[in-house]
Amino acid sequence: MQNLRIVIVEDEMIIAMDMQEMLQDVGYTVCGIASTYEEALSMTKTAQPDLFLLDIGISGTKNGISLAHTLHQLGLPFIFTTSRTESSYIESAKSTKPYGYLLKPFSKLDLYANIEMALGHVQNKKVQSLYLPMGRNKHHVSLNDLLFIKANGNYVELQIGERRVALRKNLKEFEAKLPIGHPFIRVHKSYLVNRNHISSFNQLELSLLGGTKVPIGRTYFTEIKSNMMIV
C-alpha cells in the first residue's frame, strides 16, 4: 500500500536506519523515529502515523509493552519487532493485541509481508468513512459510496453516488487524509478510483459500475493490475 506512514520505535539507531531504508525501498513513508515511550507518544499527534513498528526493549522507564497498551487504547495499529523469544515476552505482547510479532533479524521481504498482512486486518476492523465539509456542517460519507476523486486545479471533485461535491484541497492532500486500508487506487495523475466500483478496464481507460469512463495514465497501468485480482 502506497503512502502508508510508519513510525519506527527503536533505541538502536543503526537498526532503525536499516529499517527506514527497507521501508522506503518498498514504497512506505517513515514519518518518524522514536527511541523512548515519550517520543513515540508525541509522534501519535505530530507525525500522523498509520502504523508503528515497535521494539519491546526500548530504553526508559516505560518499555515497548507499556507503549503498546497505550497505542491499543488510542486505536493505533502496531507490529512488534524484537529478538525476544521467551514465552513470558510473547504472553505480555499478546495481551496488547498487536498486528504482528516480527523476530529480528528480518529481511525486507519479511518486513513487507508482515505490514501488508497487518493492513488486511486493519481494513477489516476499521469503519471506512469520512466526514466532509458541506456548508456549515461536516457530513458522514461512507467510502463505499464514493466512486472517484478528480483533481481540478486547487480543488478536488468527489463523485458520491449521483452527487458531485467540490473541496478546496489538492488530490495529494486528500489522498493523505484517507484512512488506512482505503479502497482507492491512483489510475491517473488526476484520478483516484474506488476499486470496488470498477467493472472493467483496459490499457487506456476503465469503466465504473453505472457506465462512467475514467482515463488511465500511461505510467499507472502496471500498478492497477497489481491491485486487481486477475486470473
Side-chain angles (χ1 to χ4, degrees), residues 27-212:
Y28 302 133
T29 298
V30 176
C31 58
I33 297 176
S35 61
T36 66
Y37 174 97
E38 291 77 16
E39 289 177 358
L41 193 59
S42 174
M43 288 181 185
T44 62
K45 298 178 181 178
T46 60
Q48 297 183 322
D50 299 308
L51 179 73
F52 283 78
L53 295 178
L54 174 55
D55 179 35
I56 287 180
I58 55 174
S59 58
T61 56
K62 293 187 176 181
N63 64 11
I65 298 294
S66 298
L67 177 58
H69 281 294
T70 301
L71 295 177
H72 177 67
Q73 291 170 359
L74 294 172
L76 295 171
F78 56 91
I79 295 172
F80 281 118
T81 58
T82 180
S83 58
R84 308 307 296 254
T85 59
E86 301 96 313
S87 59
S88 59
Y89 278 92
I90 294 173
E91 288 301 313
S92 294
K94 190 167 65 174
S95 70
T96 67
K97 297 181 172 57
Y99 283 83
Y101 194 91
L102 186 57
L103 289 174
K104 300 175 183 175
F106 46 78
S107 68
K108 179 166 58 179
L109 182 58
D110 291 332
L111 185 59
Y112 173 77
N114 271 264
I115 290 172
E116 290 297 311
M117 291 294 289
L119 292 181
H121 293 301
V122 171
Q123 182 176 1
N124 289 336
K125 288 189 175 185
K126 285 216 170 190
V127 176
Q128 296 287 289
S129 61
L130 291 173
Y131 282 86
L132 300 177
M134 299 180 193
R136 295 183 178 181
N137 298 319
K138 308 288 187 185
H139 289 262
H140 178 269
V141 174
S142 169
L143 291 190
N144 196 49
D145 294 332
L146 183 52
L147 280 70
F148 64 83
I149 305 103
K150 178 184 178 182
N152 186 0
N154 293 326
Y155 289 80
V156 288
E157 297 176 358
L158 284 65
Q159 189 68 41
I160 308 168
E162 299 296 323
R163 178 178 48 168
R164 185 164 293 197
V165 176
L167 298 179
R168 190 174 179 82
K169 193 180 295 288
N170 65 44
L171 191 59
K172 185 176 181 180
E173 291 172 334
F174 185 88
E175 186 176 11
K177 293 289 186 180
L178 289 170
I180 188 170
H182 66 77
F184 293 90
I185 56 174
R186 181 74 75 115
V187 302
H188 187 279
K189 66 179 181 179
S190 299
Y191 283 90
L192 284 170
V193 171
N194 189 330
R195 66 165 65 91
N196 297 327
H197 289 275
I198 298 174
S199 62
S200 64
F201 67 95
N202 55 44
Q203 287 188 304
L204 299 179
E205 66 180 12
L206 54 82
S207 298
L208 302 182
L209 300 173
T212 301

